[in-house]
Amino acid sequence: MTEKGSEPVIALLGNPNSGKSSLFNYLTGLRQEVSNFPGVTVDIKRGHLKLSDGNQAMVVDFPGTYSLYPNSSDEKIVVKLLLHPSDAMFPDLVVYVADVTQLERHMLLATQIRDLGIPMIFVNNMVDLLEDNGDSLNTAKIQAYLGVPVIGVSVRNHIRLDQLHHLINKTLSDSTQPSSSLYTLSDSEAFVASRIQKRLGLTNQYMAKVIAHHSSWLTWLQPKEKQFITDVTERAAFNNLHLQVQETMDRYDRFTSVVRSAITHLGNGKATITDKLDRWITHRIIGPALFFLVMMFVFQSIFNWAEYPMELIEAFFAETSAFTTAHMPAGWFTDLLVNGLFAGLGGVLVFIPQIAILFFLISLLEESGYMSRVVFMFDSIMQRFGMNGRSMVSLISSGACAIPAIMATRTITNYRERLITILVSPLISCSARLPVYAVLVGFVVPEGYWMNVFDYRGLALMALYLLGIVGALFSAFVAKQLLRTDGPSFLMMELPNYQAPIWKNVFLVVREKVISFILSAGKIIVIISVVLWFLASYGPGSDISSAEGRALETAAKQQLGQEATDHLVASAKIEASYIGILGKAFEPAIAPLGFDWKIGIAILTSFAAREVFVGTMATIYSVGSESDEKTIREKMAAEIRPQTGKPLYDRATAASLLVFYVFAMQCMSTLAVTRKETGSWKWPLIQFVYMSLLAYAGAFAAFRLLVEA
């Protein structure tokens, strides 16, 4: 744990779906970053808020938490931080965000934080929805009960956000701590808490009580301190679970009447718009059918909307390569720029429009509240495959990236269901696979429209995602039979109201994901492109020059044209290079799948990250090529299989390669996160082996079926 700094820290806390992240985006704007808690893989967002005195405060958006008695890893990390005042991210002020339409449930954590003695502002969010239902809130009653500033806002419609900003400034400048507790400790709790408080040097007795409840997982305690707490709790016959339940019920008994008296219901219990929509959207038959149509729209949009900007990016890199070749002296450095860096980066960055469109549409679905309905609808189906409805959060998140998807499994309390979800999440096609799919689908599916509406390529892309889903469900079902369990878990979640997206949130999500894609993929591609360029440009002794001479002789004998001669020379030179030697050694293992040694090299390099496949192919096909104006897709389309003289990327090979990338575990970062989340190398090893076998078998079957068709 790092020590406190001079910059004040504002913590945004609250239950999931309370609007914390929307308020964070409003307060910080573009001045934000995503990072991890020290030593763990829990994502948090940090940003900066400019204060009225000209200084800045750090704003931290913490994971959603239900109480100080946590059930998930995310909640444990948050509570641990709140009980460690010397930590750098310990808040000087808590801005507690509550959904005013579900106020009673949100009061539990708020009263617990209040009793920790941390200055707090209680924010009732979504007051516009309350008023739309014909209800009203008396904030004075809530404020009198909590003893902290209370304000009603709507982040979505910017209602009273300026007043909230002023209130934050005022509260930060007032160093007065809350002086009274809303919860009275029992005799046994007071006995234990007073001794722990003295032993650990804490300033708050309720803080000591929470530590007594959870000393087993508070890793920052020294072994002798843990032993002391164990001894003192045993002497007091301290029943942790019983006291947790008792305190929770006592708190509800105290604040329920306050909340009910503070909200005046004038809506006469009429059905809301959300209730009316849910009758259709969560219907057992109509709901899944609607979800299928929504996903079809998403995949159609990825191809249709991205086509023009992708062509512009391809043209930019082609023109840049041609300009560089024409205006820089010939030599190894120019060759490195054109055939190494430009080819590798251009081959991947061309897919930025598709990545942006994917995250734009997914963000719209999340902002509207639709994704929560998806979790609810598919809970019973997930149970049949050894998972639960919360697993859908991870599986859907895998459509972006498997790493946060695996981290999201911390909300699953059942160990077997969580482990199965971790093992199968990478089978859902992520955004890193999208560049591979986009460049290969055209070799399998012709251009055109089905029923003059649906793009064939969009339908093929959806089929690839469905294939990954089928693979994930099949693997989960097998794992369910092999792994033991103590019993099924039960899904408990809140379905938020439907609401129009906050466009600023959508923009920030797309911006964050695109920049992350560019930086994470870009760094890897630059390194690999340089290495590949060297390996493809040089070889042992005079092998490359000898291969070039033999190719020229062959071209002269066959009276080939200039373009065919250039292609033959380029192929001969790269086969004689170091990378050609490596690829030829690997080729027998992948030949049954219809792959040649160049594809084999791309498969090997893409173990660093799947999207590197396209950059690798761009580099390999650019080295030795005389045409810098052609795109990577055009160069791959021109590739000929030497044995038959036919195109290498025919339907059978391209389909085989697509199936391979649907199933293959080609992401070292995902394996590392699996190791982190499971605490053992056993499970990432199992994950890698079973996914590789599935990829090989699937690719072999696809190739044989299409070759013989």
Side-chain angles (χ1 to χ4, degrees):
M1 293 271 183
T2 54
E3 294 301 312
K4 282 287 289 180
S6 58
E7 189 177 53
V9 176
I10 301 171
L12 296 184
L13 293 172
N15 293 184
N17 298 318
S18 62
K20 286 189 304 87
S21 296
S22 297
L23 180 57
F24 173 80
N25 289 335
Y26 169 80
L27 293 175
T28 63
L30 299 177
R31 303 180 300 277
Q32 58 181 249
E33 62 181 14
V34 179
S35 59
N36 291 338
F37 279 115
V40 295
T41 54
V42 178
D43 273 347
I44 59 167
K45 285 186 176 181
R46 293 189 291 184
H48 288 89
L49 170 67
K50 190 172 182 179
L51 302 175
S52 56
D53 61 3
N55 294 319
Q56 288 194 134
M58 180 191 295
V59 183
V60 185
D61 183 14
F62 287 91
T65 310
Y66 286 106
S67 80
L68 292 186
Y69 303 130
N71 293 308
S72 69
S73 299
D74 282 8
E75 289 184 326
K76 288 181 179 180
I77 293 297
V78 174
V79 176
K80 175 181 175 180
L81 178 68
L82 292 177
L83 300 177
H84 200 280
S86 64
D87 186 81
M89 283 191 293
F90 184 83
D92 298 282
L93 171 65
V94 169
V95 175
Y96 188 90
V97 185
D99 178 353
V100 72
T101 65
Q102 305 285 340
L103 186 55
E104 190 173 317
R105 182 172 56 79
H106 289 252
M107 286 286 284
L108 174 61
L109 177 61
T111 58
Q112 290 177 324
I113 293 174
R114 166 63 178 73
D115 287 349
L116 289 178
I118 306 172
M120 182 171 75
I121 297 174
F122 189 84
V123 178
N124 287 302
N125 190 24
M126 308 182 195
V127 291
D128 54 328
L129 297 180
L130 192 75
E131 293 166 358
D132 289 344
N133 293 337
D135 302 332
S136 63
L137 174 69
N138 186 336
T139 57
K141 289 187 177 182
I142 305 296
Q143 182 164 316
Y145 176 73
L146 290 175
V148 301
V150 177
I151 185 172
V153 307
S154 171
V155 180
R156 183 171 305 278
N157 294 326
H158 287 204
I159 297 175
R160 288 189 284 277
L161 292 184
D162 289 341
Q163 296 179 35
L164 174 59
H165 195 181
H166 174 74
L167 190 57
I168 290 173
N169 280 276
K170 182 177 181 299
T171 310
L172 276 176
S173 63
D174 181 5
S175 59
T176 303
Q177 294 281 338
S179 57
S180 62
S181 173
L182 295 173
Y183 182 74
T184 304
L185 302 182
S186 66
D187 291 342
S188 65
E189 289 174 317
F191 168 78
V192 171
S194 63
R195 282 154 180 76
I196 293 176
Q197 183 182 3
K198 182 177 180 181
R199 176 79 175 199
L200 301 182
L202 301 174
T203 59
N204 181 281
Q205 196 175 56
Y206 182 69
M207 186 186 299
K209 179 209 165 184
V210 175
I211 290 175
H213 278 291
H214 292 285
S215 58
S216 61
W217 55 260
L218 285 174
T219 55
W220 57 272
L221 291 175
Q222 297 297 322
K224 60 181 180 180
E225 295 170 338
K226 285 186 178 181
Q227 187 60 49
F228 172 81
I229 294 172
T230 301
D231 293 342
V232 75
T233 52
E234 287 179 354
R235 255 185 297 159
F238 202 68
N239 187 324
N240 287 8
L241 182 59
H242 171 75
L243 290 173
Q244 288 178 29
V245 173
Q246 179 182 331
E247 179 190 351
T248 300
M249 298 307 297
D250 285 349
R251 286 185 183 274
Y252 268 94
D253 288 343
R254 291 166 183 255
F255 61 64
T256 296
S257 59
V258 176
V259 172
R260 292 179 180 177
S261 66
I263 297 180
T264 303
H265 296 282
L266 301 175
N268 298 320
K270 63 181 181 181
T272 64
I273 295 177
T274 292
D275 295 331
K276 295 175 182 178
L277 288 174
D278 274 344
R279 292 173 187 171
W280 298 98
I281 291 178
T282 62
H283 190 276
R284 54 190 294 267
I285 296 174
I286 298 175
L290 179 61
F291 175 71
F292 183 84
L293 291 176
V294 168
M295 290 297 102
M296 182 178 290
F297 171 77
V298 169
F299 297 124
Q300 291 289 314
S301 303
I302 288 173
F303 264 101
N304 293 336
W305 297 354
E307 186 172 1
Y308 182 67
M310 288 177 69
E311 290 176 355
L312 290 179
I313 295 174
E314 285 183 328
F316 170 78
F317 276 98
E319 291 297 327
T320 300
S321 296
F323 180 85
T324 303
T325 302
H327 292 82
M328 288 187 66
W332 69 268
F333 183 71
T334 301
D335 194 45
L336 171 61
L337 284 179
V338 174
N339 298 321
L341 295 180
F342 293 167
L345 285 174
V348 172
L349 299 186
V350 67
F351 299 102
I352 286 177
Q354 292 185 329
I355 300 295
I357 291 170
L358 172 65
F359 284 113
F360 172 75
L361 295 175
I362 294 298
S363 180
L364 289 182
L365 296 176
E366 290 178 344
E367 281 275 313
S368 67
Y370 178 70
M371 282 304 187
S372 297
R373 272 72 187 177
V374 174
V375 172
F376 169 75
M377 284 190 296
F378 288 97
D379 178 57
S380 59
I381 296 176
M382 292 294 100
Q383 292 280 354
R384 299 176 186 177
F385 294 93
M387 298 179 284
N388 69 24
R390 293 194 184 279
S391 301
M392 280 297 293
V393 175
S394 293
L395 298 183
I396 293 173
S397 298
S398 289
C401 179
I403 293 172
I406 290 173
M407 290 161 56
T409 61
R410 293 171 183 159
T411 60
I412 303 173
T413 55
N414 183 286
Y415 175 75
R416 184 185 72 159
E417 293 175 352
R418 179 171 184 249
L419 180 59
I420 291 175
T421 307
I422 288 174
L423 292 177
V424 305
S425 287
L427 283 169
I428 305 299
S429 292
C430 62
S431 58
R433 289 179 170 104
L434 194 55
V436 183
Y437 293 168
V439 79
L440 293 173
V441 160
F443 295 114
V444 181
V445 181
E447 291 187 18
Y449 291 86
W450 179 55
M451 299 176 60
N452 294 322
V453 176
F454 300 107
D455 190 315
Y456 285 132
R457 296 169 301 171
L459 292 174
L461 181 62
M462 184 170 184
L464 292 171
Y465 275 76
L466 289 175
L467 181 60
I469 293 171
V470 171
L473 294 179
F474 170 77
S475 302
F477 183 79
V478 172
K480 178 185 177 183
Q481 314 307 314
L482 299 177
L483 298 174
R484 296 181 179 179
T485 182
D486 296 330
S489 64
F490 301 94
L491 178 68
M492 183 178 68
M493 65 176 298
E494 173 192 350
L495 297 181
N497 292 306
Y498 291 107
Q499 47 200 348
I502 298 178
W503 295 107
K504 182 177 182 179
N505 289 355
V506 174
F507 166 74
L508 288 173
V509 168
V510 174
R511 169 183 170 270
E512 174 195 329
K513 299 302 182 182
V514 169
I515 290 177
S516 176
F517 173 77
I518 293 173
L519 295 180
S520 60
K523 288 185 291 187
I524 297 173
I525 290 165
V526 167
I527 295 171
I528 290 181
S529 294
V530 171
V531 173
L532 286 175
W533 171 83
F534 175 80
L535 294 176
S537 300
Y538 299 95
S542 59
D543 287 2
I544 290 183
S545 58
S546 299
E548 181 180 7
R550 290 192 297 270
L552 289 172
E553 291 178 6
T554 301
K557 290 179 182 179
Q558 298 179 2
Q559 298 182 340
L560 300 179
Q562 187 60 47
E563 185 175 353
T565 299
D566 291 341
H567 181 77
L568 182 63
V569 170
S571 297
K573 290 169 65 177
I574 201 169
E575 282 192 49
S577 68
Y578 291 117
I579 203 170
I581 296 171
L582 177 62
K584 289 291 185 179
F586 183 58
E587 189 173 39
I590 57 175
L593 310 182
F595 304 162
D596 72 344
W597 64 269
K598 294 180 182 179
I599 296 175
I601 292 298
I603 289 174
L604 289 176
T605 57
S606 62
F607 275 107
R610 296 180 182 97
E611 61 268 38
V612 173
F613 171 86
V614 181
T616 298
M617 299 306 288
T619 300
I620 290 176
Y621 285 119
S622 293
V623 173
S625 173
E626 297 298 324
S627 175
D628 297 322
E629 293 81 6
K630 286 187 177 181
T631 67
I632 175 58
R633 286 180 283 190
E634 292 172 334
K635 292 176 181 179
M636 291 174 67
E639 184 71 2
I640 301 298
R641 197 182 293 274
Q643 301 89 336
T644 62
K646 296 181 179 180
L648 171 63
Y649 292 95
D650 54 15
R651 287 182 60 207
T653 298
S656 173
L657 195 51
L658 282 169
V659 171
F660 183 88
Y661 270 89
V662 167
F663 295 131
M665 166 52 81
Q666 289 183 286
C667 183
M668 292 185 294
S669 298
T670 299
L671 290 173
V673 169
T674 299
R675 160 67 179 83
K676 179 74 174 179
E677 294 297 312
T678 61
S680 168
W681 280 110
K682 170 187 174 182
W683 297 113
L685 180 61
I686 290 174
Q687 192 177 49
F688 176 80
V689 170
Y690 97 80
M691 289 183 65
S692 298
L693 292 175
L694 196 60
Y696 195 95
F700 179 81
F703 182 70
R704 297 312 310 170
L705 285 172
L706 288 176
V707 163
E708 296 172 3

